[in-house]
Amino acid sequence: MIVKAKVSQTPDLNKIQDDIAYFFGLKLKDEPSEVGRRDLLCKRLQKDPSEKILVILDDLWKELDLREVGIPSGDESKGCKLLLTSRFKNVLEQMKRNTPIFHLEGLKDNEAFRLFEKTVGDRLKDDEELKAIAPKVVKKLAGLPLLIISVACSLKDRDVDAWRIALKKIDLSKMETIVKLSYDHLKSEDTKTLFLLCGLIGGTIQVEILLGLGMGLGFFEEFGRTIQDSRAGLNAMLNELRSVCLLLDGGDEKNNVTIHDLYSEVVTSTPFGGQNSLMMNSNYGSWPKEKLEKCRAICQVNVGRDRLDKLMKCQFADLKILMLSQPPIRYWIPEHLRDMGDHLGLLDFTCMKELRVLYLCSMRITSLHSSIRILGNLLSLYLESCNVEDVAILGNLKALQILSFARSTISRLPKKIQELTNLRLLNLSYCKLKIIKPDVLKCLINLEELLMMESFNQ
């Protein structure tokens, strides 16, 4: 059995464990303690010494404590073997596994060409001009399989002129020129923007989150009027991105999609998106305030108090999307984030009047900042895994279409929520709801989907 989990630049211990458990059908979500999750996973990996298991931990950026994950080592590992990948040799050396480290080179010329030829299909059989251009195109891609497949997918249905243009444009030192070959081939501007959003978030992304982002930006209207129509439209756009290898499946029945780190780094760079579509994620480094204030979309994972304080002092006149998250309280938290306190005083939305989507996950907020009432254009709001209680103020957000309290500590759905008459989707899954005020749901006259799994069950 081959089991794979992506670690990435901002490792989430909870997600790594869930990815491994998925292959065994092991349910860890019902186990609240960190030690309990770790032990359950370890016992499953040690269950049968005759069972051969290969665990692949992909894309390590720093040393990872395997015991915290629940991966046995040494004599305890029995039939379980481990393969680690990293772009940094010193990270693998720090893991002290006492096993060989192999450096992966790019594909050799003949291997690279065979991969390109296989992806393009029959185009090279009878066209002499393409036969002459193809080896030159492949040569420029430096044996990198991801780029070879992506460029081949974007060219296989194009004419000879497009191949000639591609040959001139490809510049490995400017990675954005290669990604743009596939990007420019996309049919609609909405699909292009969806790809940019995936690059902004990075890694593995829930499809339902992309639905909320897209609806918040006015996507999917051409596909129909209902949320189900929008979901079908989103799937059509994701399939187009998959077809040119700009996105990969997330590994679990298409509930998630994954974007390669290479693409994520490219699309959040100014040369790719241009000043008019500035987006900032957790890898932005140190931008001057003037550049920050031009951002239209911001996604910050494991955001600390200092960075949050810096963001909230900016004048975000054009900001459409704000996504902020912290590790869940009950799971492993990086050392520099362990003394976070309450985020309430820092979350000031006064200068974000154009905001369309607000996503807060595991943020330490006991109540909502009064400035949230000015977000009159907000269409999608996520307060997921937050310890927020009083949400009556949200009744002022009359334009809201999507509202999610999934896994939050909210115990009461107040009467004020009945004023959200434009609401189309309400997610109360895995909440601790005890009270829903009378007539609240009855007044949500445009509600299409109500999700209440494992909620309001007491």
Side-chain angles (χ1 to χ4, degrees), residues 270-321:
T270 303
F272 188 88
Q275 290 289 349
N276 291 331
S277 59
L278 264 177
M279 303 189 305
M280 182 188 74
N281 62 14
S282 299
N283 306 324
Y284 78 108
S286 181
W287 284 9
K289 184 180 179 183
E290 295 74 21
K291 187 176 180 181
L292 280 176
E293 291 182 338
K294 294 177 182 178
C295 278
R296 293 176 181 266
I298 292 175
C299 177
Q300 293 283 285
V301 178
N302 293 347
V303 60
R305 289 186 71 89
D306 291 344
R307 184 170 291 187
L308 189 58
D309 184 48
K310 181 179 179 182
L311 284 176
M312 293 299 134
K313 288 178 180 176
C314 292
Q315 304 282 325
F316 289 116
D318 299 317
L319 192 65
K320 298 292 191 295
I321 296 173

Side-chain angles (χ1 to χ4, degrees), residues 9-11 62 282 300-308 325-327 332-341 343 364:
Q9 190 171 0
T10 52
K62 55 188 175 183
S282 299
Q300 293 283 285
V301 178
N302 293 347
V303 60
R305 289 186 71 89
D306 291 344
R307 184 170 291 187
L308 189 58
S325 66
Q326 283 272 281
W332 174 83
I333 298 175
E335 188 173 342
H336 72 288
L337 298 174
R338 288 176 185 172
D339 185 23
M340 286 299 301
H343 285 145
R364 322 299 191 245

Side-chain angles (χ1 to χ4, degrees), residues 188-343:
S188 74
E189 290 302 314
D190 284 354
T191 306
K192 290 180 179 179
T193 304
L194 182 65
F195 172 63
L196 295 178
L197 289 176
C198 291
L200 171 73
I201 301 169
T204 299
I205 310 159
Q206 294 179 42
V207 171
E208 284 297 299
I209 296 297
L210 293 176
L211 178 70
L213 290 174
M215 290 180 64
L217 294 176
F219 292 0
F220 319 130
E221 292 177 1
E222 64 181 286
F223 296 99
R225 300 181 63 179
T226 69
I227 286 183
Q228 198 58 36
D229 291 334
S230 297
R231 196 173 279 112
L234 171 62
N235 287 331
M237 293 163 71
L238 292 176
N239 284 335
E240 185 180 355
L241 291 170
R242 291 186 189 100
S243 71
V244 291
C245 295
L246 291 177
L247 287 183
L248 305 169
D249 285 331
D252 51 358
E253 300 176 356
K254 298 191 176 180
N255 291 326
N256 299 312
V257 292
T258 298
I259 184 168
H260 196 279
D261 284 348
L262 181 86
Y263 288 171
S264 188
E265 291 167 13
V266 168
V267 301
T268 52
S269 66
T270 303
F272 188 88
Q275 290 289 349
N276 291 331
S277 59
L278 264 177
M279 303 189 305
M280 182 188 74
N281 62 14
S282 299
N283 306 324
Y284 78 108
S286 181
W287 284 9
K289 184 180 179 183
E290 295 74 21
K291 187 176 180 181
L292 280 176
E293 291 182 338
K294 294 177 182 178
C295 278
R296 293 176 181 266
I298 292 175
C299 177
Q300 293 283 285
V301 178
N302 293 347
V303 60
R305 289 186 71 89
D306 291 344
R307 184 170 291 187
L308 189 58
D309 184 48
K310 181 179 179 182
L311 284 176
M312 293 299 134
K313 288 178 180 176
C314 292
Q315 304 282 325
F316 289 116
D318 299 317
L319 192 65
K320 298 292 191 295
I321 296 173
L322 177 62
M323 304 180 72
L324 303 172
S325 66
Q326 283 272 281
I329 296 173
R330 64 185 182 275
Y331 300 121
W332 174 83
I333 298 175
E335 188 173 342
H336 72 288
L337 298 174
R338 288 176 185 172
D339 185 23
M340 286 299 301
D342 196 305
H343 285 145

